[in-house]
Amino acid sequence: FRFVLCTSGDSVKVYSTRTEEWLHSLQGHTNQVTGIALNRANHLQVYSCSADGTVKLWDFIDGILIKTFIIGYPLFAIYVSEKHDGIVFLHIAMDTDSKNECFQLVAVHLPKSAEQEVEAKELSAVSSRISPNPSCTAFGREGQYIAFARHLQLNVYFFRKQKTYSFSLKATDKKGAKNAFTCIACHPADDCIATGHEDGKIRLWRNFIHTKEYTYSTQHWHHNAVNTLCFTPEGTNLLSGGIESVLVQWQYGAGNRKEFLPRLGGSILHVSTSSDGQLFCTSHSDNKITVIESSFKVCGVIQGLVKGDAVLTDLMIDPRSKALVLNGKPGHLQFYSLMRDKHLYNLDIVQQEYIYEAGLDQFEVVKAAFDINGYWLATVEERGQKSSDLEFVLKLWAYDERTQSFVLNTTITAAHTDRIISMCFSSSEETTMLVTTAEDGQFKAWCQGADADTQQDQSFWSCEFVGSYHNLKPTNCSFSADSSLLAVNFQEVITIWSPDTWELLTTLCQPPGVVRDLCFGRLSCSKYLIATTTRNLLCCWNLLTCALEWSTSVEVSKLQPDPLSENVAAFSYQSKHTDLFVFKPSEPRPLFTHKNMCSEKIHRAVFVPREEPLNNCDESSQWLNRSQLYFLTQNMDLLTFSTATEEDRMLSSSKRLVIDDSVAVTPFYLLLGKHRQQQQKLNTPSHPAADKPQQPQGSVTITELLHTPAHVLPAASVLCSMLVSSLLISNTGVRKDPLREMESSEQEMNSEKEEEHSEEEMEACDSQQELRAQGSVDEVTPKLSKAQERELKRIRKTDFSWMTGLIDSKP
Amino acid sequence: MASFKPTKVPFLPKLGEKVTEETLYWKNYKSPVQIKEFGAITKIDFSPLPPHNYAVTASTRIHIYGPHSQEPIRSFTRFRDTAYGGRFRGDGKLLVAGSEEGLIRLFDISGRVALRQFKGHTKAVHMTSFLSDGFRVVSGSDDLSCRVWDVPSAVELSSLTEHTDYIRALAPSKLNPDLFVTGSYDHTVKVFDMRSGSSVMTMQHGHPVECVLLYPSEALLVSTGGRYVKVWDLLKGGQELVSLKNHHKTVTCACLSSVGNKLLTGSLDRHVKVYNSSYKVVHNFDCDASILSMAIAPDDEALAVGMTNGVLSVRHRRHKKDKETLTSRRRRGPSYQVFVKGKNFVPRQDDFLVSKPVKQYLRKYDKQLKSFEVSKALDTALQTWTRTSKPDVTVAVIIELKRRGTLKNALAGRNEESLTKILNFLLKHIFDPRFSRPLLMVGDIVLDLYQQVFHQSPVVERLLQRLMEVLGREAELQQELLQVLGILDTLFTSLTPRKEVAALAASPVAQESQLQAA
């Protein structure tokens, strides 16, 4: 078994290198986990440190918390060494106020005690004034010394001599080199320190035992700062990575011999090697881990929701796959399945080689829109927002049934003379039409038209209509539910057009304030048009009378209609916190209000249709029956609302399993059923009461067994014993049965421990989980107050239900 | 790990005509074979029988050519004066021709001497033809009469004098032996029925009629005269279906292609135009002189055009077989078998299959871009062949370099020779609206980089001078275009009703793009 561990928010996640599946996460920290380090004494244990001031020791294979050491200061990095058993080295902030960025390297003696929670107060400072960057500290050969760098100074602390030698470089060379240290790695068997620098140089320091006679050699390949350095366990190779997203392997002691592995993804943040040197692992800035064999071949990719610099496109739902679509890798759109919480695929929009270079202005996807059937996708890519010459391309993609992906149909290079502000597809099923509004004061309607002359099967998109209104700048456009009306707002004025005849039907205006967002009502409320203005006004017009129905004073940052119901969600940002209102356009009173939801402004939100509508009778959460609301904060956290019934379901999944016991009659089931019936027959006279509940529970286990994908199941040999045990007549002494403990494999142990753990902590843990909102996009977790009504659910949820089945099967 | 994405060469719309299947079909003729005759060629007729020989009437002779020979295989020279309108009978064995003196002669294809002579016309006979039964000959003459002759007895059966001017066009019906159509300089087209002995239909063409033509279904009639080609619907009593004015001189001849019944017209303006079924011009053949006569062989195998200067130009259709031989000759080197070797090999059960990684094929400039050799990539893109035949590739590489922010580096440090290359490329394409944006930028950078050293090279200095002239001219042109656009805008505003004010902005795309270039 090989695992990759990575910190993610307030937990450490464990992945398998073989299957790239997420196995489990080590949860228990209450703040961001800042560092992990393997326990050198026991290779199955790992230390993790967190900003909540604790160091925890875990068994990562089983996901069990072994010990908690309370340090009491926020911790920023952890280092361990074989030689210093029972001592961990930690980065702590020197002053409690975060403004003064001074960090201290301290050694902490971890007290040996049997208790779960131990306070470790034996701190001894190794050095103050170290770099805040955790990769600027490294242990030397056999833990004899520790090297740490800050700005232009490299310090080496020898434990035996209890002395620090420091070597410094000049700030700038003749050639304008930037010499600041960015990372450090020490050779495992040789007295050699490799340092990475801001200008991409790598220096190999030798002979630093003597302050005066030290030497270094310089190697230069990276054109930007070296982010990470790592020696292979034998010390034969040095791995380096940076913003170029190229993993470079330098042969140690062979001068400039190097190998490259280019185009791995986002810029490389960390490189680590497995203890036998067989596997390398790189983590990237776009929320990705790449597993690489020692022969320099990529053998696995663990990809989360791709995190770009910013989400420029709206959050969208692909009508076909119901996947969430947003900016992904640079120049790509990512399709992310919310149901399975899995990255589906990236769609290459720009179709150009991405140059990994800082400060280079490249094409970015800024707008995207799906038509109602999911057959067409329109994208806008843009370049040169900062410089004067703006380039943008409007592209239309058709869905290809055969390849199951989008294929480029039309490229329009100069769709407008200035940048496109918004676009939308018409909502009718028959004719698809795209409307774009641009800063040049025009909106254009694009239609798919067959070219009669060329006589080709393919039909391309061309401009059908160009509209403008008093040379004002159009900002938003929206089609009514039946596509019979098009609303385009020109600053304060909303104009209503008929897409059939391109006649200007009417104009609506409610000064003061420029219209910020507008949308039509759906279903029974389709006669209403809602708009928000910059002067804190939310207005609703009745389009039959062309009169203002109602208006209220509320600052709305985002207006999001639900496509499946009449409801409209409005996010209001006032006095540094966001409120949510859900209302129907027909009445000015909100259906649902949630004050003080989070502290960031919300610009992107989407309603995701449910697979099957809920039958929720609770008044306050009825609006969530048909679709679920996801929204993205400025911190790039993706949050969602869940209803009380869902909570119940998640909490008592075992209950649900009993209810859901409508398993298909498979031969296996029949066999088991027969067997059980025989058992029952045998047992009925003696234990009638004990047997009755067992039958459904046993079958639940089997149901779950049969329904869980085979690759996530433990080995058959392990399962067999569990199966047999679940079929056994239960008596109270099962858990302490010596025979079973003898024969139980490692996995069995795991499950039992898990059981204990979960049984003890289940309630507490679950309630904690529900209250805690955790973004899977960013590593920063928003701190949330304990609001009773709102339960923000984590997106990542494990499918451990088969395990819960096991729990249930035990009395 | 993604692979290198090659530079995308954008598909740019061609500024010229659109390529359709029709144009491809009509373009598929070899270059014309020119045969010199003694005088203006007034009539060409293809034999209905294979191998489709054709009779060419010019001056006092009628020559019969074989499909591929440039020498006449037979000629009839026993004319005392100019011969006119030599035409084959439906079985291809007899040929009839009129003449300036008014005599109509009938020849056997294999003989030399006229088998029959029909006397009766008092003036030149320009048009003769067999009726579809093959036993009668109809003729139209300058003496305003139209006569029908019996072939066996050589007597005149009837004479029709309904026209009031020269009869210069004649077309017998193929479905009914008693029907024929005549066109005359009196601007009318008449349909005669021999059974009633008079015209049954009269159509006003409006110009002296030079040629009439019946569609095979004989529901449609084409008449040409003046600059007009008119199509009449005979089933609707001679209603005008369409009137075409695509030539700018008199249309002298028309014929129908046998594949898809496409109409071809030839005119004194030296063009042959091909129309599609909705009467839009889809192709155009240019000739050296004014066209008097034209004929197309069955299956469109050959198109023969006769001109006033006595040149007969024959275009033969290009066949696929010819093409294949051409391409097969071009493609040499490792044969196809090398690449598909072992493709059908089925591995045995215990074989361990090692799959070969698919090698990505990259163009040379892409390879150089991949290894960040920007100057070399620009050099490759500026190679003579790419530069001249595929300027869009060169421009695509320039755009890619600009996107990478290395265009300046790529342009810097060049010698006179390579700078001349760049400047020549700029001169040729800088005013092309598709390329002008990136090329103007290249020009700016070149000026910035080499400002100090220009005067050292007279060649480069001259090129820069020319570039300046070209740009000045282009700027003037743009100015004028803007003025025209302004005039058009005012015209449109005064014409459109107030309601559709918004629609104004939809100006032609071409103008827009030129404006951008400005």
Side-chain angles (χ1 to χ4, degrees):
Chain A
F1 277 20
R2 291 191 168 276
F3 303 98
V4 174
L5 287 89
C6 72
T7 65
S8 161
D10 56 358
S11 63
V12 178
K13 289 186 175 159
V14 183
Y15 294 90
S16 155
T17 53
R18 292 258 174 77
T19 62
E20 297 136 40
E21 284 283 333
W22 176 47
L23 297 177
H24 48 250
S25 60
L26 313 176
Q27 281 180 334
H29 283 292
T30 55
N31 205 335
Q32 202 187 345
V33 180
T34 49
I36 45 175
L38 287 175
N39 188 2
R40 302 284 174 177
N42 184 346
H43 67 280
L44 296 177
Q45 291 178 348
V46 66
Y47 288 107
S48 73
C49 72
S50 155
D52 63 2
T54 55
V55 172
K56 287 180 196 261
L57 182 64
W58 308 85
D59 181 340
F60 61 82
I61 291 177
D62 304 338
I64 303 164
L65 177 66
I66 297 171
K67 256 181 196 174
T68 306
F69 303 99
I70 298 164
I71 311 291
Y73 302 98
L75 310 172
F76 296 97
I78 188 165
Y79 309 95
V80 292
S81 148
E82 298 157 53
K83 206 187 165 201
H84 306 274
D85 195 20
I87 299 174
V88 293
F89 291 79
L90 296 161
H91 272 193
I92 60 168
M94 221 149 88
D95 294 304
T96 43
D97 56 330
S98 55
K99 278 178 215 164
N100 192 0
E101 288 211 339
C102 268
F103 291 87
Q104 211 171 12
L105 183 69
V106 293
V108 180
H109 189 79
L110 298 176
K112 280 181 185 161
S113 114
E115 284 169 62
Q116 272 260 319
E117 290 197 6
V118 189
E119 286 204 27
K121 291 289 177 196
E122 269 184 64
L123 299 172
S124 57
V126 176
S127 169
S128 57
R129 306 197 149 269
I130 57 157
S131 161
N133 184 355
S135 51
C136 278
T137 310
F139 268 106
R141 173 165 67 100
E142 288 154 16
Q144 288 179 356
Y145 55 89
I146 186 166
F148 43 92
R150 183 168 188 261
H151 296 314
L152 295 162
Q153 203 172 38
L154 172 72
N155 301 306
V156 184
Y157 178 80
F158 293 92
F159 290 109
R160 195 168 295 161
K161 296 181 194 166
Q162 305 264 329
K163 248 184 200 171
T164 308
Y165 289 163
S166 55
F167 316 95
S168 55
L169 292 169
K170 279 178 201 150
T172 47
D173 246 331
K174 275 171 271 175
K175 290 169 186 169
K178 286 176 275 182
N179 281 333
F181 289 91
T182 53
C183 53
I184 270 186
C186 295
H187 196 275
D190 206 354
D191 276 335
C192 176
I193 301 174
T195 59
H197 297 263
E198 215 165 279
D199 56 353
K201 279 185 188 130
I202 294 171
R203 286 192 170 86
L204 292 171
W205 301 75
R206 288 191 182 83
N207 217 5
F208 43 79
I209 297 159
H210 316 285
T211 347
K212 296 277 158 62
E213 295 156 23
Y214 72 92
T215 57
Y216 64 78
S217 61
T218 309
Q219 281 164 337
H220 199 171
W221 184 85
H222 294 275
H223 64 74
N224 264 355
V226 183
N227 277 346
T228 177
L229 282 171
C230 179
F231 276 104
T232 50
E234 285 83 30
T236 47
N237 290 311
L238 172 67
L239 301 167
S240 70
I243 190 175
E244 306 91 346
S245 186
V246 182
L247 183 68
V248 188
Q249 187 178 32
W250 309 79
Q251 243 177 45
Y252 180 71
N256 257 333
R257 291 249 297 271
K258 51 193 177 280
E259 276 184 83
F260 305 105
L261 193 60
R263 285 180 281 280
L264 289 171
S267 59
I268 296 174
L269 298 182
H270 299 286
V271 177
S272 65
T273 60
S274 65
S275 53
D276 57 356
Q278 286 300 309
L279 290 173
F280 308 139
C281 195
T282 57
S283 76
H284 301 264
S285 59
D286 58 352
N287 206 1
K288 177 172 148 182
I289 295 170
T290 314
V291 185
I292 298 159
E293 284 173 15
S294 56
S295 58
F296 248 48
K297 258 184 206 155
V298 175
C299 65
V301 174
I302 300 162
Q303 173 79 67
L305 183 70
V306 178
K307 185 186 85 174
D309 302 330
V311 174
L312 301 163
T313 62
D314 267 334
L315 295 182
M316 283 165 300
I317 294 298
D318 177 15
R320 265 169 203 275
S321 60
K322 302 280 181 289
L324 182 73
V325 180
L326 67 160
N327 279 116
K329 275 164 39 176
H332 288 65
L333 277 183
Q334 63 173 324
F335 286 67
Y336 194 86
S337 168
L338 292 168
M339 308 280 173
R340 294 189 289 140
D341 186 30
K342 204 173 173 194
H343 180 86
L344 294 180
Y345 63 97
N346 280 313
L347 180 66
D348 188 0
I349 300 292
V350 174
Q351 297 184 330
Q352 275 176 335
E353 177 75 2
Y354 188 79
I355 310 294
Y356 290 98
E357 192 182 314
L360 191 63
D361 193 11
Q362 307 203 57
F363 274 107
E364 269 297 335
V365 184
V366 289
K367 295 276 179 302
F370 281 99
D371 81 333
I372 192 149
N373 300 323
Y375 185 71
W376 290 101
L377 165 69
T379 58
V380 178
E381 62 208 53
E382 215 174 75
R383 191 182 95 97
Q385 286 106 315
K386 293 147 212 159
S387 61
S388 56
D389 56 333
L390 178 84
E391 289 174 58
F392 59 91
V393 183
L394 173 65
K395 279 181 178 168
L396 284 137
W397 306 75
Y399 190 78
D400 188 0
E401 292 283 354
R402 202 169 47 79
T403 56
Q404 296 283 306
S405 72
F406 285 92
V407 177
L408 185 60
N409 178 276
T410 311
T411 310
I412 304 164
T413 39
H416 284 271
T417 48
D418 212 336
R419 62 184 295 221
I420 293 173
I421 304 171
S422 71
M423 65 176 177
C424 66
F425 270 102
S426 71
S427 38
S428 76
E429 301 262 345
E430 297 92 49
T431 54
T432 45
M433 183 190 285
L434 177 74
V435 171
T436 56
T437 66
E439 273 180 356
D440 58 358
Q442 291 178 334
F443 74 88
K444 289 190 183 181
W446 307 86
C447 266
Q448 190 193 9
D451 200 339
D453 289 334
T454 45
Q455 292 175 347
Q456 283 166 328
D457 323 332
Q458 263 195 317
S459 54
F460 298 105
W461 289 71
S462 54
C463 185
E464 195 195 61
F465 177 73
V466 183
S468 62
Y469 184 80
H470 291 290
N471 265 339
L472 293 173
K473 200 164 77 178
T475 43
N476 286 296
C477 55
S478 174
F479 274 98
S480 67
D482 58 351
S483 286
S484 64
L485 294 175
L486 167 70
V488 182
N489 79 293
F490 292 89
Q491 290 176 350
E492 295 96 342
V493 189
I494 299 173
T495 55
I496 310 287
W497 304 74
S498 156
D500 299 323
T501 58
W502 292 114
E503 221 176 325
L504 177 60
L505 297 175
T506 184
T507 58
L508 305 167
C509 189
Q510 187 68 30
V514 176
V515 175
R516 186 188 276 161
D517 210 346
L518 69 98
C519 70
F520 278 95
R522 301 279 158 187
L523 302 174
S524 68
C525 295
S526 56
K527 62 183 176 187
Y528 295 104
L529 174 70
I530 307 150
T532 64
T533 68
T534 49
R535 294 293 194 85
N536 303 349
L537 217 55
L538 177 66
C539 310
C540 177
W541 282 277
N542 188 339
L543 291 172
L544 297 178
T545 59
C546 288
L548 188 70
E549 192 88 358
W550 53 266
S551 74
T552 112
S553 173
V554 61
E555 156 90 41
V556 175
S557 63
K558 174 74 190 168
L559 204 59
Q560 184 67 37
D562 183 358
L564 293 180
S565 67
E566 293 98 341
N567 302 322
V568 178
F571 292 92
S572 148
Y573 183 73
Q574 263 170 335
S575 56
K576 298 209 169 175
H577 60 82
T578 298
D579 303 334
L580 170 72
F581 302 97
V582 180
F583 59 94
K584 280 186 180 164
S586 50
E587 48 189 303
R589 198 161 293 115
L591 286 172
F592 174 79
T593 325
H594 199 290
K595 294 268 182 196
N596 201 356
M597 191 170 59
C598 59
S599 53
E600 297 106 357
K601 209 167 175 175
I602 282 159
H603 282 291
R604 318 270 175 216
V606 72
F607 274 101
V608 182
R610 287 184 194 277
E611 272 180 338
E612 50 199 41
L614 297 175
N615 299 316
N616 205 344
C617 23
D618 189 8
E619 188 84 12
S620 64
S621 56
Q622 248 174 5
W623 61 281
L624 284 168
N625 276 2
R626 284 167 163 264
S627 38
Q628 212 170 354
L629 180 66
Y630 284 81
F631 50 95
L632 197 69
T633 65
Q634 276 183 328
N635 274 357
M636 306 270 300
D637 295 332
L638 188 64
L639 304 174
T640 187
F641 273 91
S642 62
T643 58
T645 47
E646 278 179 301
E647 298 293 331
D648 294 345
R649 257 205 300 193
M650 284 173 64
L651 278 170
S652 55
S653 51
S654 53
K655 239 182 252 171
R656 181 190 57 153
L657 290 173
V658 176
I659 298 159
D660 277 0
D661 185 24
S662 54
V663 68
V665 185
T666 58
F668 186 44
Y669 176 73
L670 283 177
L671 197 87
L672 288 172
K674 247 186 226 166
H675 180 64
R676 212 175 294 123
Q677 274 169 5
Q678 284 170 354
Q679 271 195 342
Q680 257 187 332
K681 272 177 197 163
L682 285 172
N683 291 330
T684 24
S686 53
H687 304 283
D691 264 330
K692 263 179 193 167
Q694 193 175 348
Q695 188 189 3
Q697 283 163 354
S699 64
V700 163
T701 319
I702 293 150
T703 314
E704 280 307 296
L705 251 169
L706 295 177
H707 282 241
T708 319
H711 61 275
V712 293
L713 282 177
S717 58
V718 175
L719 279 178
C720 193
S721 63
M722 276 200 280
L723 186 72
V724 170
S725 69
S726 76
L727 295 174
L728 283 173
I729 314 142
S730 54
N731 57 32
T732 43
V734 160
R735 213 185 287 166
K736 279 158 193 167
D737 190 356
L739 245 175
R740 270 197 63 223
E741 262 181 9
M742 287 270 281
E743 66 183 29
S744 64
S745 66
E746 192 180 58
Q747 190 64 37
E748 181 79 358
M749 287 274 280
N750 162 17
S751 68
E752 273 204 334
K753 276 182 187 168
E754 173 94 35
E755 279 157 33
E756 284 169 2
H757 170 59
S758 47
E759 269 175 3
E760 282 161 16
E761 292 196 324
M762 197 166 80
E763 275 176 16
C765 199
D766 274 342
S767 60
Q768 222 176 15
Q769 270 178 28
E770 300 314 319
L771 287 172
R772 198 173 51 218
Q774 184 204 345
S776 69
V777 182
D778 203 338
E779 290 179 345
V780 181
T781 327
K783 285 171 195 163
L784 287 169
S785 67
K786 288 185 183 176
Q788 288 83 31
E789 286 173 62
R790 169 204 47 175
E791 326 251 32
L792 294 168
K793 173 192 78 157
R794 286 193 317 116
I795 301 166
R796 290 209 175 278
K797 52 179 188 251
T798 349
D799 190 29
F800 267 110
S801 34
W802 64 274
M803 202 64 102
T804 46
L806 279 177
I807 299 166
D808 252 35
S809 68
K810 304 260 167 71
Chain B
M1 189 180 73
S3 54
F4 180 82
K5 286 173 203 153
T7 311
K8 208 159 183 152
V9 178
F11 172 77
L12 292 168
K14 285 233 171 94
L15 295 177
E17 300 165 22
K18 275 180 188 159
V19 177
T20 61
E21 260 174 51
E22 298 260 332
T23 46
L24 287 178
Y25 180 81
W26 291 107
K27 264 193 179 160
N28 198 14
Y29 280 97
K30 294 177 196 165
S31 51
V33 176
Q34 309 266 2
I35 301 164
K36 179 72 181 160
E37 292 284 344
F38 293 103
I41 296 161
T42 52
K43 183 72 192 170
I44 304 170
D45 194 35
F46 274 94
S47 163
L49 289 188
H52 304 302
N53 298 336
Y54 53 100
V56 176
T57 314
S59 185
T60 60
R61 289 144 211 256
I62 296 177
H63 289 304
I64 294 179
Y65 291 93
H68 290 290
S69 70
Q70 295 198 29
E71 291 296 315
I73 54 172
R74 192 162 297 280
S75 57
F76 303 99
T77 51
R78 302 285 177 86
F79 290 95
R80 247 155 265 136
D81 212 332
T82 318
Y84 291 118
R87 242 187 213 185
F88 285 103
R89 196 165 78 166
D91 57 1
K93 285 179 179 162
L94 294 179
L95 181 93
V96 68
S99 70
E100 184 68 40
E101 65 219 325
L103 213 60
I104 301 161
R105 293 180 176 84
L106 196 141
F107 300 94
D108 185 23
I109 290 297
S110 47
R112 269 174 191 277
V113 191
L115 293 177
R116 298 279 187 279
Q117 291 200 343
F118 307 112
K119 285 176 206 162
H121 283 294
T122 52
K123 279 188 181 167
V125 178
H126 275 268
M127 277 296 155
T128 55
S129 178
F130 286 95
L131 286 175
S132 60
D133 58 4
F135 306 127
R136 286 174 292 175
V137 166
V138 63
S139 62
S141 159
D142 285 0
D143 63 0
L144 317 185
S145 70
C146 192
R147 296 176 198 220
V148 181
W149 312 83
D150 186 37
V151 173
S153 59
V155 292
E156 182 187 317
L157 292 177
S158 67
S159 170
L160 308 154
T161 47
E162 286 188 24
H163 282 292
T164 55
D165 210 330
Y166 298 163
I167 298 166
R168 286 289 166 90
L170 185 78
S173 156
K174 286 204 173 89
L175 303 179
N176 189 331
D178 291 320
L179 279 180
F180 61 91
V181 186
T182 59
S184 155
Y185 278 8
D186 64 358
H187 300 188
T188 59
V189 175
K190 282 179 194 283
V191 181
F192 288 98
D193 189 346
M194 285 301 296
R195 291 164 294 194
S196 66
S198 64
S199 69
V200 289
M201 214 180 273
T202 305
M203 285 145 280
Q204 287 292 334
H205 182 79
H207 292 270
V209 180
E210 294 281 353
C211 175
V212 290
L213 187 69
L214 274 168
Y215 268 78
S217 66
E218 305 199 345
L220 296 177
L221 171 71
V222 181
S223 67
T224 71
R227 292 165 59 195
Y228 292 90
V229 176
K230 293 194 180 185
V231 182
W232 312 88
D233 191 344
L234 291 181
L235 297 182
K236 280 193 190 166
Q239 197 184 25
E240 184 185 313
L241 202 69
V242 67
S243 171
L244 309 167
K245 191 184 159 191
N246 293 100
H247 289 281
H248 53 90
K249 277 186 184 168
T250 304
V251 185
T252 52
C253 51
C255 64
L256 284 173
S257 76
S258 50
V259 179
N261 282 331
K262 300 285 161 17
L263 178 67
L264 288 88
T265 59
S267 150
L268 295 180
D269 65 2
R270 303 187 297 188
H271 293 298
V272 175
K273 305 223 178 217
V274 184
Y275 302 82
N276 63 9
S277 42
S278 55
Y279 298 109
K280 289 230 172 77
V281 176
V282 290
H283 195 63
N284 192 18
F285 293 104
D286 289 348
C287 297
D288 312 327
S290 300
I291 295 159
L292 285 181
S293 57
M294 175 178 61
I296 191 156
D299 297 328
D300 300 347
E301 283 302 313
L303 176 71
V305 176
M307 284 167 278
T308 49
N309 61 355
V311 173
L312 172 73
S313 98
V314 186
R315 288 160 215 261
H316 290 282
R317 203 162 173 73
R318 191 178 284 141
H319 287 284
K320 262 191 186 154
K321 220 163 57 181
D322 307 343
K323 235 186 206 169
E324 272 171 17
T325 53
L326 266 175
T327 49
S328 66
R329 207 173 301 150
R330 207 180 299 149
R331 195 190 291 153
R332 256 185 211 153
S335 65
Y336 181 63
Q337 263 88 42
V338 174
F339 298 106
V340 296
K341 196 167 62 181
K343 201 146 234 189
N344 300 324
F345 180 76
V346 183
R348 262 166 284 156
Q349 207 173 13
D350 47 351
D351 278 356
F352 186 73
L353 205 73
V354 180
S355 61
K356 201 173 121 189
V358 182
K359 203 179 169 192
Q360 192 191 12
Y361 174 73
L362 289 177
R363 303 216 165 260
K364 196 177 171 194
Y365 54 83
D366 274 332
K367 274 182 199 157
Q368 282 155 341
L369 282 174
K370 191 182 172 188
S371 52
F372 291 87
E373 294 171 315
V374 286
S375 272
K376 277 187 190 164
L378 188 61
D379 282 338
T380 315
L382 279 169
Q383 271 171 355
T384 322
W385 186 80
T386 320
R387 192 179 45 179
T388 48
S389 60
K390 282 189 173 170
D392 46 341
V393 171
T394 314
V395 174
V397 172
I398 289 173
I399 291 172
E400 171 69 14
L401 289 173
K402 196 216 158 198
R403 186 180 72 88
R404 293 174 169 220
T406 49
L407 183 57
K408 201 165 185 172
N409 307 14
L411 285 169
R414 286 176 180 272
N415 57 7
E416 188 185 41
E417 192 191 351
S418 59
L419 200 60
T420 321
K421 255 189 207 171
I422 293 169
L423 285 174
N424 273 326
F425 185 74
L426 288 187
L427 265 175
K428 198 172 169 193
H429 293 289
I430 202 162
F431 45 79
D432 191 334
R434 299 173 296 169
F435 304 140
S436 57
R437 251 186 124 166
L439 292 188
L440 278 172
M441 201 164 48
V442 171
D444 277 346
I445 295 174
V446 167
L447 283 180
D448 279 352
L449 285 172
Y450 298 99
Q451 214 167 21
Q452 310 296 325
V453 291
F454 272 140
H455 57 272
Q456 293 173 6
S457 158
V459 185
V460 171
E461 215 163 9
R462 214 176 316 125
L463 281 173
L464 276 177
Q465 205 76 39
R466 269 180 60 201
L467 192 64
M468 204 174 78
E469 279 168 30
V470 164
L471 285 176
R473 242 182 292 142
E474 188 65 21
E476 268 173 41
L477 193 70
Q478 296 290 344
Q479 193 99 34
E480 278 172 37
L481 276 175
L482 271 178
Q483 285 169 2
V484 172
L485 202 66
I487 296 167
L488 282 179
D489 268 356
T490 35
L491 280 177
F492 276 127
T493 348
S494 58
L495 281 175
T496 37
R498 270 193 71 84
K499 253 187 169 174
E500 294 167 37
V501 174
L504 252 187
S507 56
V509 183
Q511 283 175 355
E512 226 177 65
S513 64
Q514 270 163 346
L515 281 178
Q516 279 171 10

